[in-house]
Amino acid sequence: MTAKAEARRRAAAVRESLSPEYMSKASGIISRKVLNLCEFKRCSRLFIYVSVAGEPDTEEIIRAALEEGKRVFVPRCTGPSVMEAVEIKDFDEELILGKYGIPEPAGGEAVLPGSIDFAVIPCVAAAFDGRRLGHGEGYYDRYLEKTKCPVAVLCFSPLVTDDIPTDSYDRKADMVMTDDK
């Protein structure tokens, strides 16, 4: 088993131990922290993942950004390890279940990665220095290498660890947003 596969296995065990009540409360705390970031307040084009079970919930952030008139772009998978950012204007009406059962835009055109002002991305686990462990397909690393914007990763506090194996192609986040720090 590779170091990353072992780290994902350990993170999955931790994630499974988290109660729905904890994840809901922690998601609210994380969302409020993101909404108060100067990077969020200043951005006009936000790239953000649509959360699934076991991840910090991004719905509050997406809805707030849309209400504030920000342009919101979410990932859509287009091929093996390839994704694009597609604008949504309505959280309730424009998303369908895509690859891996992740909500993604049903239609729309992709934006150029260089035009994104701020990115909010998921992780399996993360370290406070910005190292993140993804699901292993490299979607975000490949996409983010084409951007110049600040990147925040959202992570439940029990999933923060210094034991995050990395490779040369892994893109570090600029900030790690958790429910306790």
Side-chain angles (χ1 to χ4, degrees):
M1 185 176 287
T2 68
K4 284 187 176 182
E6 176 59 23
R8 285 186 191 94
R9 186 195 62 73
R10 286 192 309 271
V14 171
R15 189 174 49 252
E16 289 173 18
S17 74
L18 302 177
S19 72
E21 295 80 19
Y22 163 77
M23 288 189 286
S24 177
K25 182 178 179 184
S27 289
I29 293 168
I30 293 168
S31 292
R32 286 186 291 284
K33 286 182 176 183
V34 171
L35 295 174
N36 284 313
L37 285 172
C38 61
E39 291 85 355
F40 175 83
K41 290 179 179 182
R42 286 193 307 237
C43 83
S44 61
R45 293 174 172 231
L46 172 68
F47 175 59
I48 185 168
Y49 73 100
V50 180
S51 56
V52 295
E55 295 178 331
D57 192 337
T58 57
E59 183 176 343
E60 181 180 350
I61 300 166
I62 294 169
R63 288 186 186 280
L66 290 168
E67 286 175 15
E68 292 177 21
K70 296 179 186 298
R71 294 185 68 191
V72 176
F73 300 88
V74 299
R76 178 170 61 198
C77 296
T78 59
S81 300
V82 179
M83 72 179 180
E84 59 189 7
V86 177
E87 186 171 12
I88 62 165
K89 296 179 180 179
D90 188 315
F91 184 84
D92 298 311
E93 299 294 326
E94 296 181 44
L95 300 173
I96 60 169
L97 285 184
K99 192 171 187 174
Y100 307 117
I102 299 171
E104 62 181 35
E109 296 296 318
V111 67
L112 293 174
S115 68
I116 299 294
D117 298 324
F118 182 48
V120 176
I121 64 172
C123 68
V124 172
F128 279 119
D129 67 2
R131 289 175 292 135
R132 63 176 280 278
L133 183 65
H135 290 282
E137 297 295 324
Y139 284 93
Y140 286 93
D141 293 315
R142 284 181 184 83
Y143 186 81
L144 292 171
E145 73 184 9
K146 302 171 197 156
T147 68
K148 295 178 177 69
C149 66
V151 175
V153 65
L154 308 187
C155 188
F156 293 124
S157 295
L159 292 166
V160 174
T161 176
D162 286 331
D163 188 20
I164 302 289
T166 58
D167 292 308
S168 60
Y169 53 81
D170 290 329
R171 165 84 189 260
K172 286 176 83 171
D174 298 296
M175 59 199 84
V176 177
M177 307 303 297
T178 70
D179 48 295
D180 72 351
K181 287 191 179 186

